[in-house]
Amino acid sequence: MIGLPNVTSLYVFLAFGISYWILKKYLFVPLSAILEAREGEEREAQKAHDESLQNLHRAVAAGEERLSAARREALKTREALRAQGMSVFESELEQAQAIAGEAIARGSEEIAEEAESASRELPARARGLARELAEKVLGRKLAA
């Protein structure tokens, strides 16, 4: 006798198909859409990050260039001020040397005048001192 066919396999296939269709419609498609949207946002975020890095590198390069220009300008200013200071120093040094030369010349003149007056007075003072010494040694006053 021929028995009834076993339809459980058919029910399992049917249940699998229905489950797959429900899961696909309500789980797999929305989940894949969410994952694709997340990947798109990730790509956009990575692109924005790369752009901001490029902007940062450009800003750093521009800042370094401005800093370099400012250093060059400061160096030029410093050298100009140094040259100006050296010229002021040299002019003041020349003035001081001129003043010192004048003072030395005046001192030399005064010394020469005092030496001349001392040499004029020296014979008379020498005679006076010799006379005073002789009086002390002899113990009496000398006649003119």
Side-chain angles (χ1 to χ4, degrees):
M1 181 141 128
I2 300 184
L4 289 174
N6 192 355
V7 286
T8 31
S9 304
L10 186 63
Y11 290 140
V12 168
F13 283 127
L14 185 63
F16 178 76
I18 292 171
S19 297
Y20 179 75
W21 179 76
I22 290 172
L23 287 175
K24 182 180 176 186
K25 183 174 182 177
Y26 293 108
L27 180 67
F28 297 143
V29 172
L31 186 61
S32 67
I34 291 171
L35 291 176
E36 286 176 8
R38 192 177 285 176
E39 286 176 3
E41 289 173 359
E42 183 180 336
R43 282 190 298 271
E44 289 175 14
Q46 184 64 38
K47 183 178 177 182
H49 177 261
D50 292 340
E51 288 175 2
S52 66
L53 273 178
Q54 289 175 353
N55 290 338
L56 175 66
H57 289 302
R58 281 192 292 259
V60 166
E64 287 176 353
E65 181 62 33
R66 285 193 305 255
L67 182 62
S68 176
R71 282 183 182 156
R72 283 191 301 271
E73 186 65 31
L75 184 62
K76 287 178 186 177
T77 303
R78 186 178 84 187
E79 289 302 319
L81 289 175
R82 180 177 285 159
Q84 181 183 5
M86 284 302 290
S87 68
V88 168
F89 171 74
E90 288 173 357
S91 68
E92 288 180 0
L93 182 63
E94 288 174 4
Q95 289 175 354
Q97 286 175 342
I99 291 170
E102 291 173 6
I104 290 172
R106 279 194 311 268
S108 295
E109 288 175 8
E110 288 176 11
I111 290 172
E113 288 173 5
E114 287 180 14
E116 188 179 321
S117 87
S119 64
R120 280 182 288 182
E121 293 175 5
L122 186 63
R125 278 185 94 191
R127 275 188 238 112
L129 285 174
R131 182 181 182 98
E132 190 177 321
L133 182 63
E135 286 177 354
K136 284 188 180 182
V137 169
L138 295 174
R140 63 181 178 98
K141 282 259 190 203
L142 294 176

